[in-house]
């Protein structure tokens, strides 16, 4: 049987459950669970599939698979199963956010909350039959660290609300564009994506391109090592961090630099364990405390959060040393990130003045890896296809960052096509989809309209495609972090959407009903209503009292004139369920709200703090 049916698997309750595997051709196979026994016959290649009737939630149960005198048994649970896919913000594991949610790691293990984690693979030759590496894990000390954080917080709500087992199929990969989750036939609708894939097709071509790019990176590191200065030639300077290096003494720098900071601790901290939080450093690091290695990172996205064991710290002066490699001239310690040493209940700020010395310098950026695994269809074939048609209640989708570039205008059609593809493959015409709209972000990110275009597409798909809901997360992001840690809020929003879209309960979100022009007052009037997640406003929708997340006046409104490409920000006021925006003398073509990478001032919300989606509307 495929790995997805290994011990500890969670089967979907309340609907038919496909179970499949392989045996000798034409043999009869019987699957038994909860006193239901279903017999199937293998085809000429030995593939078989049995469909169990609706199962009752609970577990663990024993699933018995019999073929002649052979017998397999699997421990299984029955409950709610969710397909969780997308890129890094879906993949981001609980281990990364442990310092922000320490109590989650102190709770009793929950054997009824389980994750099936698929290790990334790609394949351009067509769908594969089984995952090369994947496993089920319970929510315990060993399993929780690799749970998807967003999916975990969502699943916690489902567990508490319905008191049934929950299974998460974590089929995600950081950096993956939506094209990598489409099959070959669907991809044909998007010619640019087909052209991108073509150079990678053919026996061994993709593997060679990947290997060559990795070899070029290794050569860059070799040349960097050869340029390293002996310690006696290091020239020590000072820098205030966190900050961007090009503004604080290292312009156009690429290479290796050593940072040192002395922190003085009182006697009560002597020999105690601690947590060191240094934020984000671009790009890779090795971190030492009092000469002891405490951790490392391999890229700019990994937080420098390290546990310091007992006996390393001592009363008095303690030295923190960070060896940093800057792969491009964009090196920095990301601004506005907390840098602290936590010892028991005490916290010591370690930002500010650090000493630094250039250890090695190189004149060009490190070559970029050819991320073959992100190319179109590869992840669909190797990661998603082996899950089909495993019974699921709904799909959770958190992706879009990698599509904010040249193809942002195609995202709506790609997302709608992907939803249709997955529903067809699962033979579930109304498989609910819960989409996480992109949060705010602007660090080293071109503000060219790509981010708001993706947000607009994610929202519009929920209006154009049945049984799709999009949750707004403008308040869950961080301008300086592509991977904001507030995944608890994301999980809660997904749960609220699921209550409405999946389970038929009465949960609502704010939406724009219409925009009218009040010529007497010379203003645009935008009215808002409450709607169930995944539905459009209609005549039955009730008015929604408006507010702002920060308690200030509404901002982030602007008018647009297409003739000269002019954009003008405008003030606004709230009046009950309406927002009034004064009109300028020359009539604009459209009005936009929160249309940028990092909208954050005076963001609109309903009385429960649910944000309004960014939007743009033409004015008649």
């Amino acid at each position: 049987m495929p790995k997805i049916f290994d011990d500890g698997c969670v089967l979907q309750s309340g609907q038919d459950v496909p179970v499949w595997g392989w045996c000798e051709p034409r043999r009869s196979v019987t699957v038994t669970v909860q006193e239901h026994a279903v017999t199937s016959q293998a085809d000429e290649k030995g593939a078989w599939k049995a469909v169990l009737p609706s199962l009752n939630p609970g577990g663990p149960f024993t699933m018995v698979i019999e073929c002649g005198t052979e017998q397999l048994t699997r421990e299984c649970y029955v409950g709610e199963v969710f397909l969780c896919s997308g890129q890094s913000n879906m993949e981001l594991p609980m281990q990364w956010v442990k310092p922000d949610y320490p109590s989650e790691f102190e709770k009793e293990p929950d054997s009824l909350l389980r994750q099936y984690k698929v290790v990334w693979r790609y394949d351009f030759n067509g769908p594969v039959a089984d995952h090369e590496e994947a496993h089920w894990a319970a929510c315990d000390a060993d399993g929780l660290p690799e749970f998807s954080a967003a999916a975990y917080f969502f699943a916690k709500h489902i567990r508490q609300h319905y008191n049934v087992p929950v299974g998460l199929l974590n089929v995600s990969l950081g950096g993956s564009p939506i094209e990598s989750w489409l099959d070959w036939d669907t991809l044909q609708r998007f010619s640019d994506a087909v052209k991108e894939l073509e150079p990678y097709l053919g026996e061994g071509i993709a593997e060679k391109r990947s290997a060559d790019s990795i070899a070029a990176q290794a050569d860059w590191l070799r040349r960097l090592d050869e340029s390293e200065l002996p310690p006696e030639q290091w020239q020590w300077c000072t820098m205030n961090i966190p900050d961007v290096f090009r503004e604080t003494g290292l312009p156009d720098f690429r290479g290796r630099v050593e940072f040192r900071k002395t922190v003085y601790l009182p006697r009560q901290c002597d020999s105690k364990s601690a947590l060191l939080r240094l934020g984000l450093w671009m790009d890779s690091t090795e971190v030492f405390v009092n000469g002891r290695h405490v951790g490392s990172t391999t890229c700019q996205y990994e937080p420098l959060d390290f546990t310091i064991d007992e006996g390393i710290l001592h009363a008095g002066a303690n030295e923190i040393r960070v060896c940093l490699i800057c792969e491009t001239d964009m090196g920095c310690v990301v601004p506005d990130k907390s840098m602290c040493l936590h010892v028991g209940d005490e916290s010591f700020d370690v930002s500010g003045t650090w000493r630094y010395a250039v250890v090695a310098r190189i004149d060009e950026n490190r070559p970029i890896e050819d991320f073959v695994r992100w190319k179109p269809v590869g992840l669909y074939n190797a990661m998603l296809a082996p899950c089909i048609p495993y019974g699921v209640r709904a799909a959770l989708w958190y992706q879009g960052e990698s599509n904010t570039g040249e193809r942002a205008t195609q995202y709506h059609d790609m997302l709608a096509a992907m939803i249709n593809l997955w529903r067809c493959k699962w033979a579930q015409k109304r498989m609910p989809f819960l989409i996480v709209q992109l949060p705010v972000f602007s660090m080293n990110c071109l503000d060219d309209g790509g981010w708001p275009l993706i947000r607009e597409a994610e929202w519009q798909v929920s209006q154009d495609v049945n049984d799709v809901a999009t949750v707004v997360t403008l308040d869950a992001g961080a301008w300086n972090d592509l991977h904001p840690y507030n995944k608890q809020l994301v999980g809660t929003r997904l749960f609220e959407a699921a209550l409405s879209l999946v389970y038929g309960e009465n949960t609502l979100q704010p939406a724009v009903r219409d925009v009218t022009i009040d010529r007497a007052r010379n203003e645009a009037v935008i009215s808002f209503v409450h709607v169930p997640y995944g539905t459009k406003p209609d005549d039955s929708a009730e008015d929604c009292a408006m507010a702002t997340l920060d308690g200030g006046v509404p901002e982030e409104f602007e008018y647009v004139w297409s003739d000269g490409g002019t954009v003008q920000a405008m003030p606004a006021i709230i009046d009950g369920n309406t927002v009034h925006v004064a009109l300028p003398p020359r009539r604009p073509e459209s009005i936009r709200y929160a249309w940028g990478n990092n909208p954050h001032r005076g963001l609109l919300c309903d009385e429960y703090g649910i944000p309004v989606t960014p939007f743009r509307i033409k004015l008649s």
Side-chain angles (χ1 to χ4, degrees), residues 572-611:
I573 59 171
I574 294 174
D575 182 12
N577 75 306
T578 61
V579 173
H580 298 247
V581 188
L583 283 168
R586 186 164 69 91
R587 184 61 54 85
E589 181 185 77
S590 61
I591 186 170
R592 302 193 307 203
Y593 163 71
W595 200 261
N597 289 11
N598 183 40
H600 60 281
R601 302 179 304 272
L603 293 175
L604 293 172
C605 64
D606 66 8
E607 63 265 42
Y608 304 106
I610 307 299

Side-chain angles (χ1 to χ4, degrees), residues 327-584:
E327 299 177 357
T328 72
D329 59 358
M330 303 294 286
C332 71
V333 180
V334 173
D336 289 347
K337 285 285 185 180
S338 175
M339 299 175 63
C340 290
L341 177 65
H342 301 280
V343 187
D345 294 331
E346 298 189 73
S347 181
F348 302 89
D349 184 7
V350 297
S351 65
T353 302
W354 284 56
R355 299 169 62 226
Y356 76 92
V358 172
V359 176
R361 186 186 294 267
I362 198 166
D363 292 333
E364 72 270 12
N365 291 346
R366 186 181 184 184
I368 298 173
E369 181 182 346
D370 192 339
F371 289 99
V372 175
R373 56 187 175 272
W374 294 343
K375 299 306 175 184
V377 311
L379 303 183
Y380 173 87
N381 286 338
M383 294 180 68
L384 189 71
C387 296
I388 300 170
Y390 196 86
V392 300
R393 180 67 75 188
L396 278 56
W397 178 251
Y398 193 168
Q399 191 275 338
E401 299 92 334
S402 290
N403 287 91
T404 56
E406 295 180 358
R407 293 185 196 150
T409 55
Q410 301 178 35
Y411 193 79
H412 174 279
D413 292 345
M414 285 186 168
L415 182 54
M418 188 197 78
I419 292 171
N420 181 65
L421 167 67
W422 291 15
R423 286 175 172 173
C424 289
K425 294 298 183 179
W426 258 270
Q428 292 181 229
K429 292 182 179 179
R430 307 200 70 164
M431 179 196 289
F433 266 74
L434 306 175
I435 298 171
V436 181
Q437 191 183 65
L438 290 188
V440 299
F441 178 64
S442 62
M443 182 76 180
N444 296 333
C445 181
L446 189 64
D447 201 348
D448 61 353
W451 282 73
L453 280 172
I454 296 299
R455 295 191 193 107
E456 179 184 55
E458 290 168 330
W459 179 264
Q460 194 58 44
V461 164
S462 73
Q463 306 296 290
D464 297 340
V465 181
N466 290 332
D467 300 297
V468 177
T470 298
V471 299
V472 181
T473 61
L474 293 179
D475 54 339
W479 76 269
N480 60 354
D481 197 339
L482 185 64
H483 306 110
Y485 301 159
N486 195 356
K487 294 298 187 283
Q488 187 173 41
L489 180 57
V490 173
T492 299
R493 293 265 165 82
L494 284 168
F495 171 67
E496 292 292 323
L499 286 180
S500 176
L501 185 68
V502 180
Y503 298 105
E505 300 194 27
N506 187 33
T507 54
L508 306 170
Q509 66 182 153
V512 175
R513 174 161 55 193
D514 58 35
V515 178
T516 59
I517 302 298
D518 187 333
R519 300 189 185 279
R521 297 187 177 184
N522 198 37
E523 60 186 14
V525 181
I526 310 165
S527 64
F528 295 86
V529 292
H530 266 138
V531 297
Y533 283 86
T535 64
K536 295 180 181 180
D538 57 25
D539 293 339
S540 66
E542 296 184 359
D543 291 348
C544 171
M546 299 306 297
T548 59
L549 287 170
D550 59 15
V553 298
E555 297 194 49
E556 304 291 352
F557 281 96
E558 60 190 16
Y559 288 117
V560 180
W561 291 262
S562 61
D563 54 1
T566 305
V567 177
Q568 180 180 349
M570 295 295 288
I573 59 171
I574 294 174
D575 182 12
N577 75 306
T578 61
V579 173
H580 298 247
V581 188
L583 283 168

